[in-house]
Amino acid sequence: MPGLTAASRAELARATVVYGSERQLGLLDDSVTAAKRPWPSPMLPALRTLLDGADGDVHVVASGDPLLHGVGSSLIRLYGAEKVVVLPHVSSVALACSRVGWAVQDTEVISLVWSDPHTAVRRGGQAVVMSRDGATPATLAGLLTDTGRGDSEITVLEQLGGPAERRRTATAREWAARPAGDVDDLNVVAVRYLPDERRLGVLPDEIFANDGQITKQPVRAVTLAALAPRPGQLLWDVGAGSGSIAIEWCRSGPGCRAVAFERDEQRRNRITENVVKFGARVQVQVDAPQSFETASPPDAIFVGGGLTQPGLLEACFGRLPVGGRLVTNAVTVESEALVAQWYSRHGGELRRFEHHRGEPLGGFTGWRPAMPLTQWAVTKR
């Protein structure tokens, strides 16, 4: 309460009902005479009925800036911006950056409140990671250590802005070796990822764990161009092999996600290994099209393997929404014939790619051709 602005205090003083977590409601002082209603679990159904039977304004208390991974965004989504007034306070991100001396605009913000811990793994840069609970720092430190980022600098900041605030810094390797259970549930983690091996553009083949079943770097580049990812979209990578297309898709823009379908168990394990290494938001599924039913609807589909499997292309096209993008790569005569049939029926763009690599030839250098590739890309009408 002592840190709140006059406007926020005035709102709480005139409130008749205040919603919030048990912890947040417990921080209110005697100047707040409103009825205090803690959130139930699950929380979302309660948000939908917040205004039912309300006499006057409904007030909600939230931590820091409610529009930074907070309840404010959910309320505006449900009721519209015209019905929600937000009085923001200093966010945990701003507090964390002030403690470690980072410029906020140079710092990525990652929330693990609802996301898998591996999605906070990066190959360089710095981030403020919003924890789910007290176990999050050690979990993240273990993942960074396992993926070759054990030298990363981790600062765990507990109860920021409160009288019991605590700050501790160690490498990821050191933090992962600490005994569990001594971190407050209310914490954020400032991470400087080391070594810094960030790369823009399409990644080299050798950086992915693979058994040779990988869409090669030049082909990945033209495939991503054909898929044309947009922020927040979901890709289905069918016959994913090493998962390289799904991972490149996730790297291409903010919020991009993917589902990788692969029948071979060893390859699924390699996909998972690659997904963790790059912090990609990829869900690994078993064979297509049997597992299509359990996957979220895609914005785009890439068919990289199993193209001639009976019924696969039909199933993919059927699941694609109007305006969605389908891209296939064919390297065999049989798959080319199938692609030609679909192109004649649905149009789109048909391209053929050939590339050569310079390789030693005796004491000289010669050109070694890769297998030619036929690519079909179509937007569903």
Side-chain angles (χ1 to χ4, degrees), residues 77-323:
R77 187 168 57 250
L78 287 170
Y79 296 106
E82 69 281 356
K83 290 187 177 181
V84 180
V85 176
V86 178
L87 299 176
H89 194 47
V90 179
S91 69
S92 58
V93 172
L95 287 171
C97 286
S98 72
R99 301 301 190 262
V100 296
W102 291 352
V104 178
Q105 72 271 13
D106 297 331
T107 304
E108 185 181 1
V109 179
I110 305 170
S111 175
L112 294 184
V113 176
W114 304 114
S115 299
D116 292 332
H118 80 267
T119 58
V121 173
R122 298 290 184 272
R123 300 190 68 80
Q126 63 193 37
V128 170
V129 179
M130 307 176 82
S131 295
R132 179 180 302 179
D133 52 35
T136 300
T139 301
L140 177 57
L143 286 169
L144 290 172
T145 302
D146 292 343
T147 54
R149 321 236 80 69
D151 291 333
S152 298
E153 298 170 358
I154 286 184
T155 300
V156 178
L157 301 137
E158 302 162 72
Q159 297 198 34
L160 273 169
E165 178 176 323
R166 181 164 65 162
R167 166 185 170 177
R168 288 176 287 173
T169 301
T171 66
R173 189 177 296 105
E174 292 167 342
W175 197 274
R178 292 187 179 202
D182 70 334
V183 178
D184 191 86
D185 282 339
L186 188 62
N187 75 85
V188 298
V189 188
V191 187
R192 190 185 300 278
Y193 298 95
L194 297 172
D196 192 338
E197 297 175 339
R198 287 173 292 176
R199 293 185 61 149
L200 302 177
V202 179
L203 297 169
D205 299 337
E206 60 271 14
I207 207 166
F208 294 97
N210 71 89
D211 61 356
Q213 283 296 109
I214 180 173
T215 304
K216 300 299 190 291
Q217 185 186 41
V219 177
R220 247 181 291 133
V222 297
T223 300
L224 263 291
L227 284 167
R230 301 180 67 180
Q233 287 193 327
L234 175 68
L235 171 75
W236 282 8
D237 184 358
V238 179
S242 65
S244 62
I245 291 291
I247 290 168
E248 297 279 19
W249 169 279
C250 292
R251 294 178 66 247
S252 68
C256 286
R257 302 162 294 129
V259 181
F261 298 90
E262 174 55 54
R263 68 170 62 182
D264 184 271
E265 183 178 3
Q266 287 189 329
R267 288 177 181 164
R268 287 199 302 272
N269 292 336
R270 287 194 190 94
I271 293 172
T272 300
E273 179 183 344
N274 287 325
V275 164
V276 171
K277 178 190 286 188
F278 293 101
R281 298 176 64 189
V282 179
Q283 179 185 4
V284 183
Q285 291 267 29
V286 295
D287 198 16
Q290 292 87 338
S291 52
F292 282 178
E293 295 288 341
T294 61
S296 299
D299 298 292
I301 298 177
F302 170 65
V303 184
L307 185 59
T308 56
Q309 179 183 336
L312 179 62
L313 208 47
E314 287 84 352
C316 290
F317 201 75
R319 290 283 177 172
L320 196 66
V322 173

Side-chain angles (χ1 to χ4, degrees), residues 324-335:
R325 192 95 167 137
L326 176 71
V327 175
T328 68
N329 288 343
V331 293
T332 67
V333 172
E334 291 78 8
S335 57

